[in-house]
Amino acid sequence: MDNEKRTFIGYHGTDYEGAQCILKFKNFNLSSNDNEWLGTGIYFFIDKNKNKAITNAHKWTKNYKHFKFYRILKSVITIDSNKILDFDNEILRDLYHEYRHKKVEDTKKRGIDIETNKIKFDCQVINDICDTLGFLASKQQRYISVLEDKGVPNSEIPNCTILCARNNNLIDKNSIKVQKGGSNYG
């Protein structure tokens, strides 16, 4: 893999207070729950269609987070291409599955129960791979049900592209701007 830089325009959905804090300190809090889709980090919608990415970030604030007052923050994220665990890349997907199988074997050998929640297990494996191999971000096309209107069945076909930046140093501090904001209810 080459070492060229990749730049993404990302849209992060948050509430009014969170946005004020991010804008003041030029720093995002890392999402670090044990069920993060792409491991620990700062999540952005990076769909090629800007309006779609903004809409997805807005729907996230409304349908999942249930924020009364929301803000969509636009940021520029720059990462060495060889530091992105990009699940659109077949070689990196295969690497993920090799690590996943090894983690299952190692866990069984130690007599520890294996995490059976697939999202939690994915989160553990992705964090392990990133920590071990030095990946600074992960990227994936994914289906997120809360981006759909009510009554639309879930799908296995992705409806968005997300980027998880593992630290704030990847984000151009001067690029963080409010792209959209308002009330989700009223």
Side-chain angles (χ1 to χ4, degrees):
M1 300 183 93
D2 57 40
N3 195 23
E4 70 181 37
K5 299 264 187 207
R6 292 208 43 206
T7 299
F8 301 92
I9 306 297
Y11 298 91
H12 178 85
T14 189
D15 64 357
Y16 177 81
E17 292 81 14
Q20 293 304 103
C21 190
I22 292 165
L23 291 166
K24 179 178 180 180
F25 296 105
K26 302 292 187 188
N27 199 58
F28 291 82
N29 288 331
L30 300 179
S31 296
S32 59
N33 295 317
D34 65 354
N35 63 346
E36 303 295 348
W37 293 317
L38 294 176
T40 298
I42 307 149
Y43 281 76
F44 297 92
F45 289 95
I46 60 165
D47 301 279
K48 288 180 183 175
N49 178 322
K50 169 187 163 183
N51 291 330
K52 179 181 177 188
I54 294 166
T55 298
N56 286 341
H58 180 201
K59 286 180 177 180
W60 178 255
T61 69
K62 181 177 181 181
N63 299 340
Y64 184 77
K65 291 301 220 172
H66 306 288
F67 293 140
K68 183 174 182 181
F69 298 102
Y70 73 93
R71 293 290 181 271
I72 308 305
L73 300 180
K74 175 183 176 182
S75 299
V76 175
I77 306 107
T78 303
I79 313 161
D80 288 344
S81 60
N82 65 349
K83 296 294 184 180
I84 303 168
L85 182 56
D86 186 344
F87 289 102
D88 292 337
N89 180 311
E90 184 176 5
I91 293 168
L92 293 175
R93 279 196 313 268
D94 289 346
L95 173 76
Y96 165 83
H97 286 291
E98 287 174 28
Y99 260 77
R100 183 173 157 262
H101 288 278
K102 185 178 182 322
K103 185 170 182 75
V104 169
E105 290 171 17
D106 291 348
T107 303
K108 284 180 180 178
K109 284 179 187 173
R110 294 185 305 177
I112 300 171
D113 289 335
I114 297 169
E115 175 60 63
T116 57
N117 177 297
K118 69 180 182 180
I119 293 174
K120 288 183 178 184
F121 194 70
D122 284 349
C123 182
Q124 290 174 7
V125 173
I126 291 167
N127 281 335
D128 287 352
I129 291 171
C130 289
D131 292 343
T132 303
L133 299 179
F135 286 105
L136 299 176
S138 45
K139 175 183 168 285
Q140 182 184 50
Q141 293 182 6
R142 152 168 230 111
Y143 179 82
I144 301 176
S145 62
V146 298
L147 303 180
E148 299 284 1
D149 294 329
K150 289 187 190 245
V152 175
N154 287 345
S155 177
E156 291 295 321
I157 307 303
N159 61 356
C160 67
T161 305
I162 56 175
L163 178 77
C164 174
R166 294 182 65 83
N167 67 63
N168 277 282
N169 296 332
L170 304 170
I171 301 162
D172 176 354
K173 309 286 186 233
N174 295 320
S175 74
I176 304 170
K177 307 269 188 273
V178 175
Q179 182 70 39
K180 181 178 178 180
S183 172
N184 278 323
Y185 308 100

